[in-house]
Structures are given as C-alpha cells and as structure tokens.
Amino acid sequence: MKVIPLRARAGITGFESPATDYYQLPLSLDELLIEHPSATFIGQAAGDSMQGVGIFDGDVLIVDRHVMVRSGDVIVANLNGEFVCKLIDTRRKLLLSANESHQPVPVLEWDQFSIEGVVIRSIRCHRPSKVLEAS
C-alpha cells in the first residue's frame, strides 16, 4: 500500500495537491492494528452503551486476548452466555457502560463470566462493508 499524506488545516477550504511533497511509506494495516495476531479476533459492536468512549453501533472491534486486563479497559466478555462490550471495574467487579442511560452491571459469584479479550482498537466504516453485511 502506498500512502499519500494529506495535511488539512482548519480554515482551509480544499486539499493540497496529492502530488505536493509526495512520498511513500510502507504500511500494513495488520501491523498497525493487530499486536498479537494469534491471540486477536474481530467483532462488531451492537447498541449504544459504549458511545461515550467512541464505540458506536456497527463499529468493528479488534479484540486482543493476549493483553493483560486492567481496570478501566474496554473489554469483550461472556456474561451468562451473552457477549458484551463494556468498561471493566476490576476492584468493584462491575461492568460499566459509557452511556448514562445504561446502569452498571455487577458480576456476581454465581454468574457465568469470562473475559474474552481487551478491545485495543475500534474502526468505524463510513460506508457499508460487503464483508460485514454478509455475516
């Protein structure tokens, strides 16, 4: 892939010519987005509970199972058979939404709960993806 950097500044009504200061940078989206390929999976966000951290309905989530979970991380977990994407409060054992209209969810001792991984990146598709529509 060849990258043509376009630097747009506030107040400019157009873009510089792509030929201006043209140079090539090698760029692999795999290397940029995925740190541990054998421990990474991709999911799709559903709902509005994580909008406060910039994750919206339909966003693509890159989830890393190798990363150590820290309090405050955005995680994907299995809670009683349902996959959820939430902020985790490890000290209080709570799953938190990033939207005030959703209440915190306590993780109780009888719950079936497993953390599937930490969301390390999220991607927003501004046009529908044929790949995502097919799933």
Side-chain angles (χ1 to χ4, degrees):
M1 172 182 285
K2 296 178 183 177
V3 175
I4 301 173
L6 297 175
R7 294 177 180 84
R9 287 177 245 142
I12 294 177
T13 59
F15 291 104
E16 293 179 4
S17 166
T20 304
D21 297 327
Y22 174 77
Y23 60 93
Q24 296 180 30
L25 297 173
L27 179 65
S28 163
L29 288 178
D30 289 346
E31 290 176 15
L32 177 67
L33 300 174
I34 299 173
E35 297 173 17
H36 305 103
S38 63
T40 299
F41 67 94
I42 295 174
Q44 190 172 22
D48 65 357
S49 72
M50 297 304 289
Q51 289 180 353
V53 293
I55 298 174
F56 294 86
D57 187 57
D59 283 358
V60 175
L61 306 177
I62 299 175
V63 184
D64 193 328
R65 292 177 180 227
H66 183 75
V67 175
M68 181 75 91
V69 175
R70 295 185 297 218
S71 197
D73 277 340
V74 177
I75 62 160
V76 171
N78 189 319
L79 178 63
N80 298 321
E82 181 181 351
F83 282 100
V84 295
C85 177
K86 299 288 181 188
L87 292 159
I88 188 161
D89 181 335
T90 57
R91 187 179 56 78
R92 297 184 298 163
K93 297 183 180 178
L94 290 173
L95 298 177
L96 306 169
S97 295
N99 182 332
E100 294 176 3
S101 66
H102 297 269
Q103 296 297 313
V105 177
V107 179
L108 305 171
E109 62 185 53
W110 56 81
D111 284 327
Q112 291 181 335
F113 177 74
S114 63
I115 296 174
E116 300 299 324
V118 176
V119 177
I120 60 167
R121 314 271 189 275
S122 62
I123 302 167
R124 181 156 312 115
C125 297
H126 295 276
R127 284 190 176 183
S129 167
K130 293 178 185 176
V131 173
L132 295 175
E133 289 174 350
S135 53

